[in-house]
C-alpha cells in the first residue's frame, strides 16, 4: 500500500481491499466524480454491475416507481408481483423453467451447489453422486461453498478446510475434463463462459460445447456462472448463446438490479423438479424493490437495438485493442464484447495506477491482466477516449 493510499483510507473499514485515494461522490453515465471535482472515465462499471452507467434514468425511474408503492420488502413468506414478473421474464428469455432469487454472486453459487446435489441424488439414486468438478482459473465467490469451487490459492489457503468433493481440471488440457467426470460420482461441472477474475480467459464456443457433451456423457449438470459475463456483457443476452448450447443451471448477479444487490439461480425444468419446499431460502432474495429494478434493467439490456450497440462498441474495441496488442509491453489481449483483458509484462497494478492518474478507472484480473469493463451503453467517443488514456498509461 502506498503512503497516499494508507493515509486516505478510513481505518474503520476492515482493510480487505486496497483502495486508491479518490473518494467518489457522484456519477453520471460512464463518469465518476471525486470530492475534489475531478472526473474519471469509469471502465470498471462497479465491477460489471453498472451496465447502464451511473445515474441511469432506467434505474432511477424503476426505483422511484417501486418506492412509491411503499413496498420495499415483504419477505419470501408472501407473494409479491415484482419477483414473479422478474422470474417470468427470465424464464421467457432463457433455457430455465424456474428461478430462485438471492442477493449476490457467491450466494447464487452456494444455492446452485445445493440444487445440483439435490438433483443428482434424486435423479441417480446414488449417495455417491455428490462431487463437483470446477475449472482451473475459475472464480465463483468468497463464501465457503463458492470458495471451494474457486481455484485461487491466495483466496483459499488461509480458510481451509473447504467443502469436500470438489475436483479441479484444466479446461485446456486435452482429455482432462472427460477423465475427471464419473457418472457414479459427478453431480455437476461449474464453469464461467469467460473466466473473468482469472484473467479474462474465454473457454470459447468449442470449449463450452465440450463441457456440455462431457456433462451429458456423465449424467452431470452443467452449471454456468454468468454472474459477470451474462446479461449483455458479451453483446448477446447470455454468454453461452454463441456456442449454441444451454446449461442446466445458470447463476446471475452483478448487473442484474442496476447496482442494487441481487442474485439469481436459473434452473432447467428437470433440476427444478428435484427441489422441494423448504430446501433453500433467503430473507431478502427477490424483494419488490430489487426485483422491480431488475426487470427494468433486464428489459432495457435485452432490447435488440441495445445489444446491437454493444456489438458495435465491441468491434470498435477489437480495432483499438489490435493496436495495443502490438505494443512491446503487452503479452496478449483477450475477451469479447465489453469484457477485455490486456495481459502485460509488468504488474497489472502499475498500469491500473497509471490509468487512474490519467483519469481512467480500470481494474486487474490476476497479477498481470488489466481488465476493461465499460458500461454497456458507453458512447463511441468515450470508448476512444478511454483507450487513448489507457495507451498513455501503458
Ligand atoms: C463477482 C463474481 C462472483 C461473486 O459475486 P459476489 O456478488 O461478489 O458474491 C461469482 N462469480 C463470478 C463469475 C463473479 O465474477
Amino acid at each position: 500500500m502506498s503512503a497516499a493510499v494508507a493515509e486516505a483510507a478510513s481505518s474503520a473499514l476492515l482493510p480487505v481491499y486496497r483502495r486508491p485515494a479518490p473518494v467518489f461522490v457522484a456519477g453520471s453515465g460512464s463518469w465518476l466524480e471525486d470530492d475534489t471535482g475531478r472526473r474519471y472515465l469509469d471502465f470498471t462499471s462497479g465491477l460489471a454491475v453498472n451496465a447502464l452507467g451511473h445515474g441511469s434514468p432506467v434505474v432511477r425511474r424503476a426505483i422511484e416507481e417501486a418506492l412509491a408503492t411503499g413496498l420495499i420488502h415483504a419477505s419470501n413468506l408472501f407473494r409479491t408481483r415484482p419477483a414473479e414478473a422478474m422470474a417470468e421474464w427470465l424464464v421467457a428469455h432463457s433455457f430455465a423453467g424456474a428461478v430462485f432469487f438471492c442477493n449476490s454472486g457467491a450466494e447464487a453459487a452456494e444455492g446452485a451447489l445445493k440444487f445440483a446435489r439435490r438433483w443428482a441424488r434424486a435423479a441417480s439414486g446414488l449417495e455417491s453422486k455428490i462431487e463437483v468438478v470446477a475449472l482451473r482459473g475459475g472464480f465463483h465467490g468468497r463464501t465457503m461453498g463458492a470458495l471451494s469451487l474457486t481455484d485461487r490459492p491466495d483466496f483459499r489457503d488461509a480458510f481451509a478446510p473447504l467443502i469436500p468433493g470438489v475436483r479441479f481440471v484444466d479446461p485446456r488440457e486435452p482429455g482432462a475434463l472427460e477423465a475427471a467426470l464419473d457418472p457414479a460420482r459427478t453431480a455437476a461441472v461449474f464453469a464461467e463462459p469467460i473466466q473473468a477474475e482469472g484473467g479474462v480467459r474465454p473457454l470459447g464456443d468449442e470449449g463450452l460445447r465440450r463441457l456440455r457433451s462431457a456433462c451429458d456423457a456423465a449424467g452431470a449438470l452443467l452449471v454456468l456462472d454468468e454472474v459477470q459475463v451474462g446479461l449483455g456483457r458479451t453483446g448477446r443476452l447470455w454468454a453461452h448463446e454463441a456456442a449454441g448450447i444451454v446449461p442446466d443451471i445458470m447463476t446471475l448477479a452483478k448487473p442484474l438490479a442496476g447496482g442494487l444487490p441481487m442474485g439469481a439461480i436459473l434452473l432447467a425444468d428437470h433440476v427444478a423438479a428435484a427441489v422441494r419446499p423448504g430446501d433453500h431460502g433467503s430473507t431478502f432474495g427477490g424483494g419488490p424493490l430489487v426485483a422491480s429494478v431488475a426487470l427494468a434493467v433486464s428489459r432495457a439490456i435485452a432490447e435488440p437495438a441495445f445489444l446491437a450497440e454493444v456489438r458495435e462498441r465491441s468491434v470498435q474495441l477489437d480495432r483499438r485493442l489490435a493496436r495495443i496488442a502490438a505494443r512491446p509491453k503487452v503479452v496478449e489481449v483477450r475477451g469479447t464484447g465489453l469484457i477485455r483483458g490486456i495481459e502485460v509484462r509488468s504488474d497489472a497494478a502499475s498500469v491500473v495506477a497509471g490509468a487512474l492518474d490519467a483519469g481512467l478507472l480500470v481494474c486487474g484480473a490476476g497479477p498481470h491482466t488489466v481488465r476493461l469493463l465499460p458500461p454497456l451503453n458507453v458512447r463511441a467517443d468515450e470508448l476512444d477516449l478511454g483507450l487513448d488514456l489507457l495507451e498513455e498509461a501503458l
Side-chain angles (χ1 to χ4, degrees):
M1 211 189 294
S2 76
V5 172
E7 235 171 79
S10 162
S11 59
L13 282 172
L14 189 69
V16 289
Y17 283 94
R18 275 186 210 99
R19 296 183 181 89
V23 177
F24 292 114
V25 295
S28 173
S30 304
W31 297 85
L32 279 177
E33 188 182 324
D34 74 10
D35 59 355
T36 70
R38 183 168 185 204
R39 279 160 44 92
Y40 297 80
L41 192 51
D42 181 8
F43 280 13
T44 66
S45 302
L47 270 174
V49 167
N50 304 302
L52 300 180
H54 298 285
S56 154
V58 171
V59 174
R60 179 194 296 228
R61 204 175 312 120
I63 291 177
E64 284 171 354
E65 283 175 15
L67 287 182
T69 67
L71 192 65
I72 292 173
H73 174 83
S75 93
N76 282 305
L77 294 175
F78 304 110
R79 289 181 59 186
T80 51
R81 282 195 213 294
E84 292 182 6
M86 183 59 203
E88 282 160 15
W89 190 93
L90 287 169
V91 164
H93 289 83
S94 74
F95 67 94
V99 181
F100 178 88
F101 291 120
C102 52
N103 310 287
S104 70
E107 251 185 77
E110 297 285 337
L113 192 55
K114 284 180 67 179
F115 297 147
R117 282 191 170 169
R118 185 62 152 138
W119 169 86
R121 282 216 183 87
S124 68
L126 294 171
E127 277 305 306
S128 59
K129 199 170 166 73
I130 53 102
E131 281 191 7
V132 171
V133 169
L135 302 189
R136 289 261 167 246
F139 178 86
H140 301 287
R142 305 292 206 125
T143 56
M144 289 306 250
L147 190 58
S148 304
L149 310 170
T150 293
D151 173 43
R152 282 282 286 269
D154 51 331
F155 291 177
R156 296 164 57 96
D157 289 355
F159 309 104
L162 300 177
I163 67 161
V166 181
R167 256 168 216 269
F168 288 102
V169 302
D170 182 342
R172 285 153 199 96
E173 194 180 305
L177 181 71
E178 290 74 9
L181 267 65
D182 178 332
R185 290 198 320 262
T186 313
V189 175
F190 275 67
E192 299 156 86
I194 301 171
Q195 295 185 325
E197 302 297 317
V200 190
R201 297 174 196 281
L203 277 182
D205 294 346
E206 198 42 52
L208 278 170
R209 287 193 284 266
R210 259 189 59 217
L211 276 185
R212 180 68 270 177
S213 51
C215 286
D216 289 342
L221 300 180
L222 175 59
V223 183
L224 289 182
D225 180 338
E226 295 215 9
V227 164
Q228 186 155 165
V229 298
L231 217 61
R233 180 66 46 194
T234 63
R236 296 178 186 262
L237 191 56
W238 313 123
H240 64 262
E241 267 175 55
I245 55 124
V246 291
D248 303 291
I249 296 179
M250 176 165 73
T251 57
L252 299 177
K254 288 187 165 100
L256 193 54
L260 301 180
M262 188 184 206
I265 308 168
L266 281 65
L267 299 83
D269 278 323
H270 57 281
V271 187
V275 180
R276 299 280 165 265
D279 274 355
H280 200 43
S282 168
T283 299
F284 289 113
L289 173 65
V290 290
S292 302
V293 178
L295 186 56
V297 168
S298 302
R299 278 181 172 151
I301 291 175
E303 279 294 328
F306 184 92
L307 290 172
E309 278 284 324
V310 175
R311 292 193 292 271
E312 272 180 40
R313 295 290 81 73
S314 173
V315 171
Q316 186 186 346
L317 262 178
D318 286 340
R319 269 199 310 269
R320 290 293 306 257
L321 288 173
R323 211 169 77 195
I324 287 178
R327 297 171 79 100
K329 277 194 82 169
V330 172
V331 179
E332 191 181 34
V333 170
R334 294 184 292 268
T336 184
L338 295 186
I339 175 164
R340 304 293 182 130
I342 299 155
E343 187 174 330
V344 291
R345 289 186 210 286
S346 64
D347 260 11
S350 64
V351 180
V352 170
L356 178 81
D357 287 341
L360 173 71
L361 306 178
V362 292
C363 55
H368 298 292
T369 302
V370 178
R371 181 172 26 160
L372 308 183
L373 293 163
L376 299 187
N377 58 1
V378 64
R379 295 197 326 243
D381 59 317
E382 291 169 338
L383 199 56
D384 268 331
L385 173 61
L387 286 156
D388 291 344
L389 296 173
L390 182 69
E391 291 209 55
E392 211 178 287
L394 282 167

